[in-house]
Amino acid sequence: MNLVIREATSEDASLIAELTRHSWANKVAPSSSGHREAPDDVQEDLQHGGAFILLRGETPAGSVRWLPLDTESDVWEIRRMGIAPAFRGERLSQHLMEALIHRAQSADVRELRLAVRTDQAQLVDLYAAFGFEIAPELEYTRANPLEAPPIVMRRIMRH
């Protein structure tokens, strides 16, 4: 399997928006804002944080983004990880997560956080395998106020 993970640039905003919408279609509840992801949203994330794009061969197969918290720049929120339907079942999200963790380590990030939608609770075990723990005391900064609060998880980085 020929996999490449590369850091995204501002020119990738449209591609990442499309990957997010495609990855979330028929997988995540229609009320999720990920279904309405626009290049401008991605561009803003890229200006303040970053993203990885996973390629299988020459084909974009998935992506993930991160943003530092406004109040704590050494704490990153992981956002919008997704794998396109044609590539599911190949454990590709694991490669994105490993790349992001390594990137966070090299940037001296103290903590990673993510949110799991309550209707996607099966993902808690996936993230736990990467050292994330449920953190009920934390609130996700980008939670949709019209939905149940997500399950917030954190991973304390050890340097």
Side-chain angles (χ1 to χ4, degrees):
M1 179 177 359
N2 182 16
L3 292 180
V4 173
I5 295 176
R6 67 171 177 82
E7 198 153 343
T9 68
S10 59
E11 290 82 40
D12 293 314
S14 292
L15 171 61
I16 293 171
E18 172 60 29
L19 273 170
T20 300
R21 291 190 309 270
H22 187 58
S23 296
W24 289 31
N26 302 315
K27 184 80 172 168
V28 179
S31 57
S32 171
S33 60
H35 296 292
R36 297 176 299 285
E37 194 76 340
D40 289 347
D41 301 323
V42 177
Q43 191 67 257
E44 187 169 328
D45 284 358
L46 291 173
Q47 288 174 355
H48 301 287
F52 284 124
I53 296 172
L54 182 141
L55 301 161
R56 187 160 177 263
E58 298 292 317
T59 307
S63 65
V64 65
R65 285 181 264 168
W66 64 87
L67 275 176
L69 291 182
D70 292 337
T71 56
E72 300 174 85
S73 62
D74 63 347
V75 176
W76 288 359
E77 282 185 344
I78 299 171
R79 306 192 65 233
R80 307 279 200 224
M81 184 160 67
I83 301 295
F87 301 101
R88 289 193 187 129
E90 298 180 32
R91 303 180 59 91
L92 297 181
S93 59
Q94 148 185 338
H95 297 286
L96 284 171
M97 185 59 72
E98 288 170 356
L100 197 151
I101 289 169
H102 288 298
R103 177 72 169 78
Q105 288 169 330
S106 69
D108 289 329
V109 169
R110 177 174 52 88
E111 182 178 322
L112 292 172
R113 295 181 186 173
L114 54 83
V116 176
R117 293 177 54 91
T118 55
D119 59 359
Q120 297 278 312
Q122 73 276 8
L123 295 176
V124 168
D125 290 339
L126 168 72
Y127 297 125
F130 289 99
F132 286 84
E133 297 177 345
I134 294 175
E137 70 279 10
L138 295 177
E139 202 171 294
Y140 189 60
T141 62
R142 291 169 180 79
N144 183 341
L146 303 177
E147 296 186 350
I151 302 163
V152 178
M153 299 183 77
R154 70 165 23 140
R155 175 185 165 152
I156 305 297
M157 304 296 286
R158 289 165 180 68
H159 298 288

